[in-house]
DNA sequence: TGCCCCACGTGATTTGGATCAATATGCGCT
DNA sequence: AGCGCATATTGATCCAAATCACGTGGGGCA
């Protein structure tokens, strides 16, 4: 399990082996969850931080009118709810999108680790900066891109993230998102997401089906998306 | 200047006086800039972090088609481009929205401070978490809220942030945003922002004019916005 | 084997906000 | 005082995406 964790540990490349081992060793309570299980639900008591070892999850908020907006995707190696654990305020829920293996890192362990190894605080901070960049690129998508461009952009982002943790082969990777999930992430309706996906397939640019993505014309896709992957650092380079 | 800085230093309430003084003391090169001046422009060489002492600034990205999306607002006491300084990648520009007084915190100073005082790293991290919450609430707005709701939500956010740094009086504060800026932040057109503002004024809910905001019916506004300010922590409570 | 549920697919219609097109209005500068 | 530019206002028209309505197909389960 440590292995799976350390292998995928993204954004933490500047940690030394001792620190990675400490982090991995502090994880408790390894569990396998089905798709659609909640790690955290608005209104729960916050406590541990979750780490995803296998599978995908997403964070989302529900609006007064019942609408759902997905605000983040979490892939293997990602920490799930640092926000919630640190700020002690649950302002969103987290749900698995696939069968997933997760471990929890109890608050007390995390505090102790951070005290012992200041470098870990930096690692969390930097990882947070990457997440922030992703959020901001979503803002740009939602604010200024049309539906096809949004879909294309998200596919680019997720493909690169999968590649960065070694889970993508050549222009192809697992992409376990239903059209409904995609719609809730992109601020569109499932109906319209469907039409967009068909048009991208018809244009032989990319195809998303049976939970996997095939990029047929990478340059074309990136161009439609206006995608510049610079904000997705495979690892954050230390500045100390 | 230290005074102005420390007074507004938001999200850093758990720092002790020594640390606040260190931070303030490390700032160099105090300057007054006119409205519309760039602190950082995509393509520049990254180096110092900027701190805003007086005035407002915003971060934005320009799209291939020339469109602009504003991704953040920076108020007095905010650090401007930690992203850029740390990740060493300039993926957005930062511009003043008003006449502003800024200081710079050179990278070298910042490194030294962080080394000397691990608590500062935590402060930056936590502050980052608050920023992230703001970004996520923007994603929700852009994805699932209609134009009036978006405008209302942004006004609520900015009013509370101003209040948190002591710059708002009772349901009234400075809000130096043109309708064009508002449009670029909310993913709308200036024309439509205009109509929304007039309708809110006609409904006697709020009024935005001459660079200042008056909230006439706070509950009504919050209700329209679906606003829950829990994510805007005046200060982050330590978890160590 | 058949039923049900959930994800996907597709047409017809509606609508929120964009776009286009003119004016106004205020404000710094000479 | 008056010119000139940036910002605000308002109407008419257009269009991307929502909404509504219905059909399809596969996979788990009794």
């Amino acid at each position: 399990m440590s292995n799976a964790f350390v292998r995928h540990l993204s954004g933490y490349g500047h940690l030394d082996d001792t620190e990675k081992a400490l982090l991995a060793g502090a994880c408790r309570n390894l569990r396998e969850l089905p798709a659609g299980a909640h790690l955290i639900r608005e209104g729960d008591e916050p406590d541990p931080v979750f780490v995803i070892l296998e599978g995908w999850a997403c964070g989302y908020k529900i609006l007064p009118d019942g609408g759902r907006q997905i605000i983040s995707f979490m892939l293997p190696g990602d920490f799930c709810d640092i926000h919630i654990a640190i700020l002690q305020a649950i302002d969103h829920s987290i749900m698995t999108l696939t069968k997933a293996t997760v471990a929890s890192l109890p608050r007390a362990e995390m505090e102790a680790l951070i005290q012992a190894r200041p470098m870990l605080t930096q690692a969390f901070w930097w990882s947070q900066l990457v997440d922030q960049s992703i959020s901001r690129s979503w803002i740009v998508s939602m604010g200024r891109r049309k539906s096809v461009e949004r879909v294309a952009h998200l596919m680019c982002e997720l493909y690169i993230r999968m590649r960065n943790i070694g889970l993508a082969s050549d222009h192809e990777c697992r992409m376990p998102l239903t059209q409904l999930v995609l719609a809730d992430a992109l601020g569109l309706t499932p109906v319209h997401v469907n039409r967009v996906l068909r048009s991208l397939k018809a244009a032989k640019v990319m195809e998303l089906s049976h939970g996997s993505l095939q990029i047929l014309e990478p340059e074309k896709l990136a161009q439609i998306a206006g995608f510049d992957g610079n904000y997705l650092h495979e690892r954050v380079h230390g500045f100390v």
Side-chain angles (χ1 to χ4, degrees), chain A residues 165-218:
Chain A
I165 54 176
L167 293 180
S169 51
D170 199 32
H171 298 131
E172 195 166 343
C173 72
R174 192 157 143 57
M175 185 70 55
L177 306 175
T178 65
Q179 295 179 355
L180 175 62
V181 167
L182 229 33
D184 284 347
L186 296 169
L188 301 169
T189 54
V191 181
H192 199 245
V193 166
N194 182 291
R195 291 193 234 269
V196 168
L197 288 176
R198 324 228 85 238
S199 84
L200 282 167
K201 180 178 176 180
K204 299 203 194 304
V205 173
M206 52 154 279
E207 189 176 342
L208 179 61
S209 57
H210 309 294
S212 71
L213 170 74
Q214 279 191 47
I215 304 177
L216 306 170
E217 293 198 48

Side-chain angles (χ1 to χ4, degrees), chain A residues 32-50:
Chain A
E32 175 131 336
L33 297 172
H38 277 87
L39 295 182
I40 288 271
R41 188 169 230 144
E42 272 187 85
D44 285 358
E45 273 306 297
D47 190 51
V49 170
F50 294 98

Side-chain angles (χ1 to χ4, degrees), chain A residues 113-160:
Chain A
L113 276 183
I114 283 176
Q115 289 294 10
R117 290 273 179 166
M119 198 61 192
L120 286 172
T121 311
Q122 291 200 8
F124 284 119
W125 175 25
W126 292 335
S127 164
Q128 193 65 43
L129 288 166
V130 175
D131 284 351
Q132 174 76 291
S133 296
I134 293 173
S135 295
R136 288 174 164 183
S137 80
W138 282 33
I139 291 174
V140 174
S141 272
M142 316 271 287
R144 291 283 171 232
R145 285 197 252 259
K146 308 204 173 292
S147 54
V148 206
E149 301 166 340
R150 288 190 214 179
V151 170
H153 197 275
L154 183 60
M155 291 302 99
C156 289
E157 176 206 313
L158 292 173
Y159 171 75
I160 297 295

